[in-house]
Structures are given as C-alpha cells and as structure tokens.
C-alpha cells in the first residue's frame, strides 16, 4: 500500500501542517499510532472530543440511529429533532434552538439572526447594522467571519471583506461600550478566547458586557463553541462568570466527536425573526447528528463532568506552576483548559509540540510560542501525571 502520508501530501490541499503522528485507533483519552505508539490526547480535537474518543454512550446512540434513519432533510420531520432541541434548550436554560453543522455555520447563523433582529425588532435602518467583536477573536473560517479576524494568516488575501463589524480590545468593557451606537445589534464574544491561547478576561468583564448590552438593547452572543459544554469547569464559561447571554453558539463537543453538529441557542422572541425559507442547511439537525447530540446533552445533564473539569483546575495548577522554572513564561488555567507560553528563546510552540509527541503527548501550538492543552474531561489523575512528567521532559530537552 502506498504511504497514506505521501498521498495526503500529493493530492490533499496543504491547509494544515500536521505533527508527524498518524493515528490509527483511539479510545477514551488515548490514541494509538499506525506504528503502535500510544499518546495521551491533550488536544482532544480542539475540544470536540470533550467526552474522549468513542465514548460508549455516544457510540451506542450513533449505532442505534444508523440502524434507523440518518438523513431526511428538513423538508420532512423526523423523530430525533424535537427531543434534541427540547433537551438542549433545557440544558442551556433557553427555549429555542437552531441546529447547523460546523461551528462557523452556527456563528454565521447568529450573525444573520442578530442583523435580522436589528432590522425587524430593534428598528435599525436597513443595511446599517453593526456588530461588535473583540480583538484576538476566532470564530471560524467563512468570508464574513475572517473579515473581522485580526489574524493575518486567516484574513489576508481573501477580500473584499464583509462590512458591518467593529473590533475592540478584548477584556476592556469601557472600550466595548464606547463602540456601541444606534446601529449596533449585537456583541459577539468568546467568554474565554480559545485559539488566542486560553485568554481569560478580567474578573467582572463579562458581567459588564452583559449589563451594557441590556442597557443599550444589543444582543449579547457568546461563542461557546470551544469554551462550552464542560471545558471551562461549567456547562458554559459564561455561566461560570455568572452571566447569561442572549444567545449561545455551540459546536465542537456538541457532536460528541462523531458528527459535525452546531447550534444557536436563544430565546423564542429572538429566534422567531427567522421564518421558513429565510435560513437553513441540508444537513443541519439531521437524525444521526440529533441522536448523538441528545446523548451528549445526557452526558452533561448530571453536571459531574463539568464538576470534574473544575476540580482538575487546582490539580493542574499544582502540577504546572513549577514548570515556570523550566522555560514556561505564561500559564493560564481555566477548568481543564491550559494556555502555556514557552520562553521564545527555547523554541516555538511547534517545537514543543514535536517534543511532546516524541514523549507520548498530543498537543498543538496556537500561534508563536503558545500551546493549548485541553485533554478530554474523562482524563484521570494518572493521565495528568503522565502529561506533567512528559511536559517536563519535553521542556528539558528543549533547554539543552
Ligand atoms: C472552532 C471554533 C469555531 C469554528 O468551528 P468550526 O467547526 O471549525 O467551523 C468558532 N468559534 C470558536 C470559539 C471555535 O473554537
């Protein structure tokens, strides 16, 4: 058989630069390479694998649904959508759900919803709506979304860009309030910026944004695609900060690592600006994804996975703080989620991730010398010992 990596290189687009690990099988928090080597998965599909690989309850739900019906299109009803949207709405404490597939699609859906709400409810003049976003954001890869990205790699050479967005410094509630005017329909914010390197805003920031949005009649939209569904030590990172946004955007872990599944979860009065024919998706809310999504919601209902992620936070702190003596310049921990800045003199985040892979740990640099660690929520303390031990080794080998 021809080498699969050579085929990928020859025929695939080069829009990623994967680490030199070829995964053949996976279970729980661990993956096995084609060469038989085992790795602790501390990327977990950028948090799409919050429940680990092939969680038995998720595999069972998918398998059962594969034996019934997988796709109907929304031209017809099926029996999984209703229960899925009801159960997800209940988990979020909201009452209306619009399912899509990828995270970027759900962000686009929220932007469309906000503009339509602005015109039909708030009374903004047609074509004038503005949406406030934050510097350092990552919301996906569509033309409109990269139009307001500050990341040159994501943004450059894709113009002309979609107008109607204003970016303000993340964590500065006064700057955000100052950017709002009568045309503003929404604020789109990550409660914790994941791709930026697990950047946690200052205490009180999200509550101040919430208060401003309420006062100015602007929708607060929380992109919880990466921060939500347990990662931050709570069902939502917003909730951990005591804040209820007008809309949640969910994705990644919502599909249980099996199906692409995303959603906008909001209030009925806001959602009802969308009417038949005004928005949709062929695969959005399909029976297979909905069945998996229901099983995901069921895993989150008791709250023990969220509690475990929160309990891991001090454990991670105890283990990782000493690494500041081994070339770690910055360390941010929120739930079971770590942003770690390597002293650039020791190497790039990429170099550290290569050393980690050599040592049996999968992680990915976000940019420059920053890496993110986001193991599945089902890791054990022994797994975290493995991570700490191998991270220490990797740092020492870079220092040599
Ligand atoms: C990953 C991510 C997205 C985009 O999700 P895709 O499924 O890759 O389109 C959007 N927002 C945040 C915060 C993300 O982490």
């Amino acid at each position: 058989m021809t080498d699969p990596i050579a085929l990928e290189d020859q025929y695939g687009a080069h829009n990623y630069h994967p680490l030199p690990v070829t995964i053949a099988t996976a279970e729980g928090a661990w993956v096995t390479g084609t060469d038989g080597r085992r790795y602790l998965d501390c990327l977990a599909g950028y948090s799409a694998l919050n429940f680990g690989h092939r969680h038995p309850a998720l595999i069972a739900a998918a398998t059962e649904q594969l034996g019934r019906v997988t796709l109907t299109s929304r031209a017809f009803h099926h029996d999984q959508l209703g229960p899925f949207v009801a159960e997800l709405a209940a988990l979020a404490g909201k009452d209306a759900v619009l399912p899509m597939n990828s995270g970027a699609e759900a962000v686009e859906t929220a932007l469309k919803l906000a503009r339509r709400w602005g015109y039909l409810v708030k009374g903004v003049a047609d074509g004038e709506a503005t949406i406030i976003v934050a510097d350092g954001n990552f919301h996906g890869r569509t033309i409109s979304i990269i139009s307001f990205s500050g990341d040159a790699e994501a943004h450059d050479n894709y113009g002309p860009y979609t107008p109607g967005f204003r970016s303000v410094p993340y964590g500065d509630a006064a700057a955000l309030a100052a950017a709002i005017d009568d045309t503003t329909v929404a604020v789109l914010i990550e409660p914790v910026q994941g791709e930026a390197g697990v950047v946690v805003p200052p205490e009180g920031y999200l509550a101040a944004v919430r208060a401003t949005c309420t006062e100015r009649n602007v929708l607060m939209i929380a992109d919880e695609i990466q921060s939500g569904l347990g990662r931050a030590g709570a069902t939502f990172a917003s909730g951990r900060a005591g804040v209820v946004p007008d809309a949640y955007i969910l994705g990644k872990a919502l599909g249980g690592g099996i199906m692409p599944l995303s959603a906008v979860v909001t209030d009925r009065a806001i959602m009802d600006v969308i009417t038949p024919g005004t928005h949709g998706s062929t695969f959005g809310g399909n029976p297979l994804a909905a069945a998996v999504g229901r099983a995901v919601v069921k895993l989150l209902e008791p709250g023990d996975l969220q509690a475990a992620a929160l309990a891991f936070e001090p454990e991670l702190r105890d283990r990782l703080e000493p690494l500041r003596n081994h070339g770690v310049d910055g360390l941010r921990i929120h739930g079971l989620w770590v942003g770690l800045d390597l002293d650039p003199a020791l190497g790039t985040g990429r170099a550290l991730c290569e050393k980690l892979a050599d040592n049996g740990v999968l992680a990915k640099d976000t940019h420059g010398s920053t890496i993110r660690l986001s193991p599945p929520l089902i890791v054990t303390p022994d797994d975290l010992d493995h991570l700490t031990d191998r991270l220490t080794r990797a740092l020492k080998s870079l220092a040599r």
Side-chain angles (χ1 to χ4, degrees), residues 16-300:
Y16 280 89
H17 179 30
L19 287 152
V21 174
T22 305
I23 298 170
T25 59
E27 186 172 6
W30 290 80
V31 307
T32 304
T34 46
D35 58 359
R37 290 191 62 194
R38 277 166 50 82
Y39 305 84
L40 178 65
D41 187 354
C42 290
L43 179 63
Y46 305 90
S47 290
L49 290 157
N50 276 2
F51 313 101
H53 294 268
R54 297 167 53 241
H55 188 289
L58 303 180
I59 293 293
T63 306
E64 202 206 314
Q65 192 59 39
L66 279 170
R68 299 180 65 226
V69 59
T70 55
L71 188 70
T72 55
S73 84
R74 295 289 305 279
F76 311 102
H77 295 287
H78 65 79
D79 62 11
Q80 295 300 305
L81 181 61
F84 168 61
V85 293
E87 288 153 17
L88 180 58
L91 182 76
K94 294 282 186 192
D95 51 21
V97 174
L98 199 165
M100 296 292 283
N101 310 284
S102 69
E105 279 181 317
V107 173
E108 287 277 347
T109 300
L111 297 175
K112 289 175 75 177
L113 189 63
R115 284 184 171 183
R116 226 171 140 78
W117 174 86
Y119 299 130
L120 300 178
V121 178
K122 185 171 175 171
V124 172
D126 191 35
E128 298 295 314
T130 56
I131 293 173
I132 314 290
V133 298
D135 297 351
N137 69 72
F138 181 84
H139 296 290
R141 300 291 197 167
T142 64
I143 292 269
S144 289
I145 292 170
I146 59 94
S147 291
F148 55 84
S149 169
D151 176 353
E153 274 194 309
H155 172 276
D156 292 357
N157 298 311
Y158 288 119
Y161 299 103
T162 305
F165 300 96
R166 291 180 192 152
S167 193
V168 297
Y170 187 66
D172 182 344
L176 185 140
I180 294 177
D181 64 22
D182 290 345
T183 67
T184 307
V185 297
V187 167
L188 171 66
I189 201 101
E190 293 160 89
V192 173
Q193 287 187 328
E195 294 306 306
V198 191
V199 176
V200 183
E203 186 92 34
Y205 172 68
L206 294 171
V209 171
R210 172 69 276 181
T212 300
C213 286
T214 303
E215 191 189 308
R216 305 291 299 274
N217 193 26
V218 163
L219 301 180
M220 179 179 181
I221 301 173
D223 181 347
E224 296 254 15
I225 290 170
Q226 195 167 153
S227 60
L229 307 185
R231 175 58 56 196
T235 304
F236 301 111
S238 317
R240 183 169 166 182
V243 164
V244 178
D246 296 297
Y248 297 101
I249 309 175
L250 302 177
K252 292 202 165 102
L254 190 59
I258 299 176
M259 291 296 288
L261 175 59
S262 63
V264 175
V265 185
T266 185
D267 302 314
R268 176 51 67 190
I270 297 168
M271 189 66 91
D272 278 351
V273 301
I274 301 275
T275 51
T278 56
H279 186 59
S281 159
T282 302
F283 286 89
N286 70 72
L288 183 55
V292 172
R294 292 184 68 189
V296 163
V297 170
K298 205 167 202 168
L299 288 178
L300 289 165

Side-chain angles (χ1 to χ4, degrees), residues 333-353:
I333 307 176
H334 200 70
L336 189 54
W337 207 10
V338 178
L340 185 153
D341 308 323
L342 179 67
D343 175 354
L346 286 190
T348 59
R350 170 87 189 183
L352 177 56
C353 289

